[in-house]
Amino acid sequence: MSERISEKLTILSDAAKYDVSCASSGSDRKNENKGLGNASNGICHAYTEDGRCVSLLKILLTNFCIYDCAYCISRKSNDIKRAAFTVQEVVDLTMNFYRRNYIEGLFLSSGIFKNADYTMERLVLVAKKLRTEHRFNGYIHLKTIPGASDELMQEAALYADRLSVNVEMPTRESLRLLAPDKNRNDMLKPMRYIDKALTQNQEEKKLFKKAPTLAPAGQSTQMVIGATPETDLQILYMSHFFYQKIHLKRVYYSGYVPVSNDNRLPAMGTPVPFIRENRLYQADWLMRFYHFRVDEIVSPQEPLLDAQIDPKLSWALRNLQLFPVDINTADYMLIMRIPGIGIQSARKICEARKFSRLGMHHLQKIGIAVNRAKYFITTSDAPVLKDYQPMQIKEFILNEGSSKYQPNFSPQLKLF
Amino acid sequence: MQTVLYDSSFEGFFTAVFEIYEYKIKDPDIQQQGAAPVSLFGGQHTVHTDIAKATRVIKKLEEKLSADAFANIYRVLLSEQPGMENVLFRYIQYALQATQSIETDYSHPDVLWIQQVVRKMGREKHRMEAFIRFLKTKDGLFYATVEPDFNVLPLIRKHFEDRYADQRWLIYDTRRKYGLYYDLHSVTEVTIDFAATLNDKASLRTLHDEQEDLYQSLWRTYFGSTNIQARRNMKLHIQHMPRRYWKYLTEKLPG
């Protein structure tokens, strides 16, 4: 029995791992019934050897699937081992892992067997059992299955902290090419439905404190990048749409890991587009936390992010007329936009300058990347640097640091 | 310079602060009793912890500092950093003589130092909350042993109490020889010396719940198969899970 469960776990976690979301934050579920667990800030309990956070038990209920999406390891036509957990097995694994402080909760997804409702019903059943029979208050992230009924969606939202539907491909065309059985609208429909339900729920909560909270950590989605020819402009405008129109909490970008010899896709052995993925996340952060507009980051003239430097530095180099910024007087929102200064440092600068005029040595101690910031600021002590051209600054910064991506840009052929 | 010795308690430290003002001790060097060799030069003053004196200092500080900044003093005192008392004393002096709140004056070296130590403590606290691995015994106790860099058990207590309300648990600091025990009602500090029991791995194993090994092995299985080989990045892995923590981590230990 233990060997079988171990084999299932191997198969069904292996199949679930390409979903990059592992967030367990954004909820504030309390342990009020003296049950097990709570969900608050999200803790990474471990990190895999690929450096990704392990916060949730991320598994599929089954990898049997009636669809044949080219980019997916569980596609119908792929010759792989199949397995399915019972509802009770998932519950037991979650409870026992949680009790040992291995995880923050469960991220349950599934291949689609029989039909959408049948699958969704079982996902909901796991969550319901955990919440009601086991008084489990840890984090639960459920995948919503496109095409499942509204009632099931509603029930899923009642037990889960977060719901997500992966749009998978940044555009309708790519989806049609790689997942002919899937329909873009089927994916957007449940997102819109949940969004409406959550907004309505917030209104209800204002009126009746006791109203049950629906999916307190909201919704997220994921796009596979690098499998299809979209530009960063298309991808980021898509994210912008999700954040603005459907109020998603997160959009994940998953650099395509080749899993198929399908000629519609990059060949096996093609490197995972790590840099691009990284730059997209940086751009995403700029939109969500740094108040950048999407059209400040990419434009039709420059639809691709610069791989060599981060999008904030590239924005600054395109807008040198705004610099240098005086650290001692500038607005917080502008300080935050200086390359080498993050949100935390920007806040510290604004606090500290109330006490004394800040010089370079203060900034160094506060922990900002002075080597990067120095081209864009004036302080109480450092002389203003002479006017450099954007290309010169870029050169200086690239030559100073040793980027972990440097080998990718080296013009020298690596022979050994 | 005069050495001021206190008993390493929280109240003891505030009594020391009070007496430095009371006796107008110039250039004090606050040390824990028995921690440092007695200075050959300069005088020496031994503080006897006095709750009334400590309370007066605490009251005054609560007027001058925000609740967060006050809690930070407590955190720094748990950090066991050499010289922390002297930095805290200068910080308190600075706070008392200032007319406005100074707690965010990061251009002041002591304010910045405290903020940095608090950050280190926060990081260690967070790591304990993440990396503690409970083992289940036959009688349903979930226990874990830790060896944190700083004395963070008082800081993680609430987290575990809130979270694991329906199971008995014990977290034991093998370096500082005390632990936290939750009996389904409240958490108490326990100071029994478990070292002998904990070192005898074989007999410890006989105490384990019969499914303990199964779940440990399932967790290792999960940890292995959730990794994406094509994205392997050991540098990042180690940056997030420094080697010195591996000894607690079920998933990093051989099965």
Side-chain angles (χ1 to χ4, degrees):
Chain A
M1 135 67 193
S2 73
E3 268 164 43
R4 181 66 194 129
I5 188 101
S6 176
E7 192 191 358
K8 282 189 191 180
L9 184 60
T10 308
I11 296 171
L12 295 170
S13 58
D14 185 73
K17 69 189 177 190
Y18 298 98
D19 216 309
V20 291
S21 163
C22 199
S24 53
S25 55
S27 185
D28 56 353
R29 198 177 291 276
K30 303 259 185 326
N31 188 359
E32 276 164 347
N33 51 3
K34 250 211 163 199
L36 178 67
N38 51 18
S40 50
N41 282 325
I43 296 172
C44 293
H45 286 274
Y47 292 85
T48 45
E49 291 189 350
D50 54 24
R52 294 182 310 153
C53 154
V54 181
S55 165
L56 304 170
L57 169 63
K58 194 191 306 182
I59 46 175
L60 301 188
L61 190 57
T62 177
N63 64 342
F64 287 102
C65 193
I66 56 174
Y67 288 128
D68 202 32
C69 311
Y71 50 81
C72 179
I73 190 125
S74 305
R75 64 189 178 280
K76 186 172 60 181
S77 61
N78 201 14
D79 183 20
I80 48 161
K81 274 196 180 174
R82 307 275 166 173
F85 278 125
T86 65
V87 167
Q88 191 58 45
E89 281 169 341
V90 177
V91 169
D92 287 344
L93 273 175
T94 308
M95 291 298 287
N96 276 288
F97 279 8
Y98 197 93
R99 288 196 181 287
R100 289 168 174 76
N101 204 40
Y102 296 167
I103 52 170
E104 288 291 292
L106 174 67
F107 180 150
L108 189 59
S109 176
S110 184
I112 296 163
F113 49 109
K114 282 193 185 163
N115 58 49
D117 270 352
Y118 188 86
T119 311
M120 192 69 216
E121 214 174 283
R122 262 142 202 83
L123 296 184
V124 172
L125 196 60
V126 170
K128 182 179 182 176
K129 253 188 156 189
L130 281 168
R131 291 282 190 241
T132 54
E133 283 175 34
H134 296 272
R135 290 188 301 167
F136 177 73
N137 300 310
Y139 193 88
I140 300 179
H141 179 159
L142 290 185
K143 274 265 117 94
T144 42
I145 308 294
S149 74
D150 289 352
E151 292 75 39
L152 279 170
M153 294 289 176
Q154 187 83 26
E155 207 184 350
L158 190 61
Y159 300 120
D161 294 282
R162 170 167 284 179
L163 296 169
S164 65
V165 183
N166 285 355
V167 292
E168 307 293 6
M169 292 295 139
T171 59
R172 206 173 286 274
E173 292 67 38
S174 298
L175 188 69
R176 200 176 299 138
L177 176 71
L178 297 176
D181 322 320
K182 281 190 180 164
N183 177 329
R184 178 89 162 181
N185 287 340
D186 282 354
M187 295 172 165
L188 295 182
K189 204 184 133 241
M191 280 189 189
R192 287 211 161 94
Y193 176 79
I194 299 281
D195 180 40
K196 244 176 87 184
L198 297 186
T199 319
Q200 204 179 331
N201 180 240
Q202 278 164 8
E203 293 300 311
E204 282 169 16
K205 293 284 282 184
K206 278 182 205 154
L207 294 172
F208 314 104
K209 260 199 127 171
K210 285 265 154 68
T213 311
L214 295 183
Q219 300 194 80
S220 65
T221 193
Q222 169 174 313
M223 289 188 265
V224 176
I225 55 152
T228 46
E230 282 84 10
T231 61
D232 296 330
L233 176 86
Q234 282 169 298
I235 294 169
L236 288 171
Y237 268 83
M238 203 60 229
S239 307
H240 173 72
F241 163 79
F242 287 131
Y243 289 132
Q244 297 301 316
K245 300 290 176 210
I246 318 190
H247 312 108
L248 294 197
K249 290 279 164 58
R250 279 294 295 274
V251 174
Y252 291 92
Y253 310 91
S254 170
Y256 177 69
V257 180
V259 291
S260 162
N261 279 317
D262 195 307
N263 59 16
R264 289 170 289 176
L265 285 165
M268 294 290 267
T270 308
V272 182
F274 289 120
I275 308 174
R276 187 169 180 211
E277 187 187 283
N278 185 204
R279 296 289 178 236
L280 282 168
Y281 275 116
Q282 288 173 325
D284 188 274
W285 250 248
L286 292 183
M287 293 197 287
R288 289 192 301 135
F289 302 117
Y290 288 80
H291 305 276
F292 274 80
R293 291 194 321 269
V294 61
D295 59 19
E296 291 178 296
I297 303 168
V298 274
S299 64
Q301 292 77 44
E302 287 176 74
L304 294 175
L305 297 170
D306 190 335
Q308 284 184 298
I309 53 171
D310 65 87
K312 192 170 159 192
L313 178 58
S314 12
W315 170 83
L317 293 178
R318 282 195 306 272
N319 293 280
L320 274 183
Q321 76 281 1
L322 297 171
F323 298 99
V325 165
D326 185 346
I327 284 293
N328 284 298
T329 56
D331 188 54
Y332 168 65
M333 297 289 264
L334 189 54
I335 290 189
M336 198 157 74
R337 288 185 167 226
I338 301 167
I341 299 182
I343 292 183
Q344 297 238 6
S345 316
R347 204 171 295 149
K348 264 191 228 158
I349 287 169
C350 292
E351 293 283 358
R353 70 187 184 188
K354 291 181 198 156
F355 298 92
S356 52
R357 286 179 54 75
L358 303 180
M360 269 309 184
H361 60 289
H362 290 125
L363 297 183
Q364 226 144 16
K365 281 231 170 98
I366 283 174
I368 78 159
V370 172
N371 280 339
R372 183 169 285 240
K374 68 182 176 201
Y375 302 103
F376 303 97
I377 56 176
T378 56
T379 58
S380 67
D381 55 355
V384 180
L385 290 170
K386 67 170 187 178
D387 280 342
Y388 288 116
Q389 291 302 306
M391 280 312 287
Q392 288 175 297
I393 298 179
K394 184 171 165 179
E395 278 304 304
F396 290 144
I397 290 177
L398 284 175
N399 289 334
E400 251 161 29
S402 56
S403 161
K404 60 189 162 185
Y405 297 130
Q406 205 125 56
N408 296 290
F409 304 121
S410 168
Q412 265 177 359
L413 203 61
K414 239 199 228 158
L415 292 172
F416 303 102
Chain B
M1 189 166 77
Q2 191 163 3
T3 309
V4 178
L5 292 170
Y6 79 109
D7 63 3
S8 82
S9 73
F10 198 46
E11 292 79 11
F13 171 72
F14 285 116
T15 311
V17 172
F18 187 92
E19 293 189 355
I20 291 169
Y21 275 99
E22 186 181 18
Y23 301 118
K24 299 196 169 66
I25 297 174
K26 282 222 170 73
D27 214 357
D29 176 27
I30 311 175
Q31 294 285 347
Q32 301 190 359
Q33 276 160 11
V38 178
S39 164
L40 293 176
F41 310 100
Q44 184 178 315
H45 171 84
T46 303
V47 172
H48 299 285
T49 301
D50 180 335
I51 300 294
K53 287 179 179 176
T55 313
R56 278 179 63 184
V57 176
I58 291 170
K59 264 216 161 121
K60 187 78 194 161
L61 283 174
E62 278 171 344
E63 278 169 32
K64 283 279 183 180
L65 296 173
S66 70
D68 274 351
F70 185 74
N72 285 346
I73 295 183
Y74 179 58
R75 286 179 170 225
V76 171
L77 283 171
L78 292 173
S79 74
E80 300 163 346
Q81 297 290 302
M84 61 189 181
E85 294 90 349
N86 293 325
V87 178
L88 283 175
F89 179 70
R90 289 197 300 268
Y91 176 75
I92 289 170
Q93 267 184 318
Y94 183 35
L96 292 181
Q97 50 115 47
T99 49
Q100 57 170 345
S101 162
I102 49 90
E103 53 202 65
T104 53
D105 180 7
Y106 301 118
S107 60
H108 189 287
D110 293 326
V111 179
L112 192 67
W113 187 86
I114 286 171
Q115 193 260 342
Q116 282 160 349
V117 170
V118 165
R119 224 160 101 186
K120 272 196 225 165
M121 293 289 288
R123 201 176 305 141
E124 188 69 358
K125 167 185 183 285
H126 188 80
R127 280 186 175 147
M128 285 301 124
E129 289 168 358
F131 295 155
I132 275 177
R133 298 285 180 263
F134 285 121
L135 292 95
K136 189 183 181 185
T137 66
K138 280 202 177 78
D139 58 352
L141 174 75
F142 287 82
Y143 79 93
T145 52
V146 293
E147 220 177 305
D149 291 352
F150 314 111
N151 182 17
V152 292
L153 250 48
L155 302 179
I156 61 173
R157 172 185 178 139
K158 188 176 166 0
H159 172 82
F160 284 94
E161 192 175 5
D162 288 347
R163 175 163 289 202
Y164 296 105
D166 75 339
Q167 66 187 35
R168 291 193 303 124
W169 52 261
L170 168 73
I171 298 169
Y172 188 76
D173 182 337
T174 49
R175 184 178 300 171
R176 293 164 192 88
K177 305 238 182 301
Y178 79 105
L180 300 175
Y181 171 64
Y182 174 73
D183 63 359
L184 296 179
H185 302 286
S186 58
V187 179
T188 41
E189 249 181 46
V190 287
T191 48
I192 323 154
D193 194 349
F194 285 105
T197 333
L198 291 170
N199 281 331
D200 188 357
K201 298 273 183 235
S203 71
L204 204 58
R205 226 182 160 110
T206 63
L207 296 174
H208 284 171
D209 181 86
E210 57 193 36
Q211 288 202 310
E212 180 54 35
D213 281 350
L214 168 67
Y215 282 108
Q216 284 189 22
S217 111
L218 286 173
W219 175 241
R220 275 183 211 109
T221 302
Y222 176 70
F223 182 73
S225 69
T226 197
N227 177 44
I228 300 180
Q229 200 53 38
R231 300 183 62 118
R232 193 177 142 92
N233 185 347
M234 284 306 277
K235 198 177 149 203
L236 192 58
H237 171 65
I238 288 167
Q239 182 187 325
H240 285 307
M241 290 212 311
R243 280 182 205 273
R244 66 181 183 283
Y245 298 94
W246 288 11
K247 59 180 176 288
Y248 319 124
L249 299 172
T250 313
E251 61 274 22
K252 296 305 285 184
L253 296 171

